[in-house]
Amino acid sequence: MQEYLPFEITERPNPSGFVIITVSLLALLSAFLVASFVFWAYGTNPITAYTALFDGAFGGVYELSETIRRAIPLLLAGVGLVIAFKAQFWNIGAEGQLLLGTIAATWVALFSPVPEPLMVPAMFFFGFLAGSLWALVPAVLKSKLGINDVITTLMMNYIAINLVLFLVQGPWKGEHQWGFPYSDNFPAAAQLGTLGTTNVHWLTLVIGLVAAGLIYVLINRTTPGYEIRVLGSNPSAGRFAGMSYVKTSIMVMFISGGMAGMAGVGEIAGIHHMLRNPSELSLGYGYTAIIVAWLARKNPLAVILTAFFFGAIFAGGDALKVSLGLPFQITDVFNGLILFFLIGSEILMNYKFEWRRSP
Amino acid sequence: MNEKTTPLIKFDSVVKRFPGVVANDEVSFEVEEGTIHSLLGENGAGKTTLMKILYGLYRQNSGSIYLRGEKTEIDSPTKAIELGIGMVHQHFKLVSNHTVIENIALGLSDVSVTRPTQQIERKLIELAGKYGLEVDPRAKIWQLSAGEKQRVEILRALYRGAEILILDEPTSVLTPGETERLFGVLEEMVTGGKNVIFITHKLDEVMKISDRVTVLREGRVIDTLDTASTNKQELSKKMVGREVLFDLERNPCDRGENVLEVEGITGYNDKGVVAVDDLSFSVCEGEILGVAGVAGNGQRELAEVLTGLREATSGRVLINGKDLTNASPREIAEERVAHVPEDRIKQGIVGKLTLSDNAILKNYRKKPFSRGMFINYRKVKEWTKDLIEEFNVKVPGADTPANLLSGGNIQKLILGREVSSDPRLIIASHPTYGLDVGAAEQIRNLLLKQRDNGVAVLLISENLTEVTSLSDRIAVIFEGNLMGLVERNETTRDEIGMMMAGTRFEQLER
């Protein structure tokens, strides 16, 4: 009897670009394969389903614009997460940081003395700040007291969700909304322009693309980025070289939370124009952004691609729901499967499996 | 008598390739029955790779292994154990929260379900007695010294019926006394009919313990000889490929002002026990002060206190006359203090980053490597290339990730980086630990050169030969206390040994 594995496992300390891309594509393929069983179990032919998904995401100008619209918050939040993950800070709290951005935008639009021409920049500024400050709580807790970042960032999401609910049902409940738990509508000066008749609020998209470039440069070409890479890869070498873990943690979370906050500003000022139930403001963009950053293998430029990809899944998922009558949770199933296979495939990236020659 | 002619193990043109390197290149030699066979070579010569093939951890790309004349496919450690091959790795593979017995039991299949520990304990004590491998079977691994852990590893291999025992650099973690003891055990084992393959890069050990020796260099077998018919000079020449000077040339010490002054510092170790106890000494320009002591007597804590990585609970540290007690690592580095850390992989480099990135670990905020916030990678790369060339780091290029380098090359990079920052003081912890003769010689000469240029050097090392050959003065510490501070030419090895064992200088009979 064979008591050992039929292959030999050796470490691959520095996987090449080819390996990373191949393994990532393999993971996606596996996720789609497993998802077809889900379709099949629902009595839907997987091929029909994937055709509908594809059409829903890329079938025409409207479909494509819906894909881009979904990709915008994923891009902003995803780029922010990349920088946190690069420093080994596991920010699971982009969802809450995004909601804080929507709160800040609402305050600027409805309750602040900001003059109308300055409203849009003020919304992005305060949205960034709100998301940052929200993210600083776990940053300080982790770097000063060693409290687990995954738990604190995740728990902060629920506080943010309930904060929004409290505001729309209480102090910020709109006077002209027929008793619905919405804030009042934003004034026109606080609404972002969209491309033609689509929902693509282009300013946020531009901010996202520029941020991806800037963060790429920050990580790879600057001294603070160098500290992020060193501390994220070998904290004790960083300490030995005199770097401050506290300072770097605070910096990455400031940027990470701020980016998610701006994603929230884009959603509320570009699409909804009012504060409302958190599950309507964000379709779990903050969580999906984790997968976006992961699939991009922590490269901010690759986030542009992966955000678009997940935008397509959101848009296509919408189409599945409408044209095939599948439950809307189908998008979550997709996202879950993809993350599952992505993380599972890490071992294929970091280790090499070679078949043993037959004895 | 037929057994005499059939070799125990025969390697026949064994080739093992890793991406970018040939670790073993047509390796052929024979190991005879009933011998201690040394495998000698510098770091990266392919010794460990070859033994991992023999133990079934790696698979050769081509070539064969014959065991007692029979061609054998060893495709897993399980198979190797079945064939009576055991291996003690350089880094122990023990579960530290478990007891000795539990570690032995790990992976055993024929243990009785009801009272497994008793059965193992009995056999363990018997084996231990037979070979002089005493260790408390019920002790937890973390409570044991390095030497004891090694005994557990050997016992585990013997328990599983090893006839051929492979030891990978077994003495690198041992004190001189423990090494003596290990050698006794090995001789006992050979007398008892076992075979030992001994991986090392230390010539003294080869001469002392082994019957035969195979020298490997850059993956190739250079020669296999009887130890009785060779000598250290010949072996080192074969190993390094050139003559090695055992006595370093040194200029007389030209002492200047004090650079480092330590006044009564005290510090605790990670377990909260006093590790550095009221130590006072100074190091001046153009001098190497060696700190000698048995491992674990406060050396690490001392280096950490001096470099700002550990808190001093009392006393003062003056560098260039400035009080830097409990200053941050960065503030201390700003005073032109270079540090060659004890654990080079963990503290000295960032494995996943490129050599360029590693080369600027200490000066990435300085011109010309960065201006304002931006790093100038063109300048960084040029500088890295100079560093690689000047310090003879063997590496494909500046973009190579540091974790692909061998220990000696990593150390050369670190020392090069630290020295290039034009230091006033170098704190070097175990700078040649685990390095081969050639690399160690280079590192030692580098330190001497720095001293000649007027740099103050604090050398912390467990290698007594290194301390005595490099240092101008020697401070001996024991349990965090200073036993004595002596001029190099006013003492003897024996006296230092006595102090290392806890005798104060004043109490020595001179």
Side-chain angles (χ1 to χ4, degrees), chain B residues 42-43 201-202 239-240 242 244-246 248 344 407-409 411-412 415 430-448 459 463 466 469-470:
Chain B
E42 297 193 289
N43 284 318
H201 57 248
K202 294 179 186 158
M239 175 165 86
V240 188
R242 62 191 162 83
V244 177
L245 293 173
F246 280 94
L248 295 159
R344 60 183 81 103
N409 283 315
Q411 193 70 326
K412 281 187 250 174
L415 202 72
H430 313 289
T432 63
Y433 174 82
L435 301 190
D436 57 68
V437 180
E441 186 199 10
Q442 276 187 36
I443 299 281
R444 287 179 193 144
N445 278 326
L446 267 167
L447 288 173
L448 273 181
L459 170 73
N463 183 336
E466 176 167 281
S469 66
L470 279 179

Side-chain angles (χ1 to χ4, degrees), chain B residues 237-474:
Chain B
K237 205 171 149 187
K238 285 184 191 294
M239 175 165 86
V240 188
R242 62 191 162 83
E243 297 276 358
V244 177
L245 293 173
F246 280 94
D247 291 313
L248 295 159
E249 279 179 44
R250 49 184 302 133
N251 304 323
C253 174
D254 182 16
R255 272 177 210 155
E257 286 170 35
N258 277 346
V259 177
L260 172 69
E261 285 168 85
V262 177
E263 295 171 3
I265 56 161
T266 299
Y268 291 79
N269 66 14
D270 293 337
K271 290 178 185 151
V273 179
V274 175
V276 178
D277 194 358
D278 194 21
L279 277 189
S280 299
F281 60 88
S282 61
V283 191
C284 58
E285 286 174 336
E287 167 186 64
I288 297 181
L289 178 75
V291 176
V294 177
N297 274 285
Q299 293 96 320
R300 174 197 296 175
E301 289 80 6
L302 173 64
E304 287 181 349
V305 165
L306 295 180
T307 49
L309 296 167
R310 184 176 290 273
E311 192 196 351
T313 48
S314 65
R316 290 206 308 163
V317 178
L318 297 171
I319 296 169
N320 301 329
K322 231 182 194 175
D323 190 341
L324 287 175
T325 318
N326 294 329
S328 72
R330 182 164 282 165
E331 284 166 327
I332 291 169
E334 296 287 325
E335 276 303 311
R336 290 162 62 194
V337 176
H339 181 195
V340 179
E342 175 177 321
D343 187 338
R344 60 183 81 103
I345 309 267
K346 259 197 189 152
Q347 303 183 300
I349 59 157
V350 186
K352 285 205 182 259
L353 300 187
T354 63
L355 280 198
S356 300
D357 274 330
N358 275 289
I360 55 169
L361 191 60
K362 281 306 201 41
N363 47 15
Y364 65 99
R365 292 175 354 135
K366 298 202 180 88
K367 282 178 184 169
F369 307 119
S370 62
R371 256 171 299 123
M373 237 176 70
F374 289 92
I375 296 178
N376 183 343
Y377 269 100
R378 205 171 47 83
K379 283 264 158 44
V380 172
K381 215 169 259 183
E382 277 171 27
W383 188 67
T384 309
K385 279 180 187 154
D386 291 347
L387 212 61
I388 289 172
E389 199 159 315
E390 190 182 341
F391 294 94
N392 197 15
V393 185
K394 289 195 187 100
V395 55
D399 292 329
T400 310
N403 55 12
L404 295 183
L405 269 62
S406 71
N409 283 315
I410 287 175
Q411 193 70 326
K412 281 187 250 174
L413 178 81
I414 293 174
L415 202 72
R417 173 183 82 202
E418 298 290 324
V419 162
S420 308
S421 61
D422 188 23
R424 292 260 296 149
L425 170 67
I426 299 175
I427 297 171
S429 298
H430 313 289
T432 63
Y433 174 82
L435 301 190
D436 57 68
V437 180
E441 186 199 10
Q442 276 187 36
I443 299 281
R444 287 179 193 144
N445 278 326
L446 267 167
L447 288 173
L448 273 181
K449 205 173 126 197
Q450 290 298 310
R451 155 194 177 268
D452 291 348
N453 293 340
V455 177
V457 179
L458 181 70
L459 170 73
I460 299 173
S461 175
E462 280 147 27
N463 183 336
L464 195 52
T465 313
E466 176 167 281
V467 172
T468 49
S469 66
L470 279 179
S471 313
D472 300 300
R473 286 186 302 153
I474 298 161

Side-chain angles (χ1 to χ4, degrees), chain A residues 3-4 8 10 13-14 217-218 220-224 226-227 229-230 233-234 236-237 239-243 352 356-357 359, chain B residues 19 57-60 75-76 309 329-330 339 341 345-347 349-350 352 357 360-362 364 373-375 377 401 403-404:
Chain A
E3 284 186 70
Y4 46 84
E8 196 175 355
T10 44
N14 298 284
V217 172
L218 176 73
N220 293 300
R221 287 284 175 269
T222 68
T223 50
Y226 179 75
E227 291 177 351
R229 284 183 288 138
V230 168
S233 175
N234 184 353
S236 62
R239 202 166 94 89
F240 163 78
M243 295 175 186
K352 200 162 63 179
R356 291 171 186 271
R357 287 175 309 166
Chain B
L57 284 164
Y58 290 154
R59 200 63 203 278
Q60 69 267 34
D75 43 21
S76 69
L309 296 167
R330 182 164 282 165
H339 181 195
I345 309 267
K346 259 197 189 152
Q347 303 183 300
I349 59 157
V350 186
K352 285 205 182 259
D357 274 330
I360 55 169
L361 191 60
K362 281 306 201 41
Y364 65 99
M373 237 176 70
F374 289 92
I375 296 178
Y377 269 100
N403 55 12
L404 295 183

Side-chain angles (χ1 to χ4, degrees), chain A residues 28-50:
Chain A
L28 289 180
L29 205 70
S30 314
F32 279 105
L33 205 70
V34 174
S36 21
F37 285 101
V38 178
F39 290 129
W40 176 73
Y42 255 100
T44 309
N45 182 345
I47 297 175
T48 321
Y50 282 121

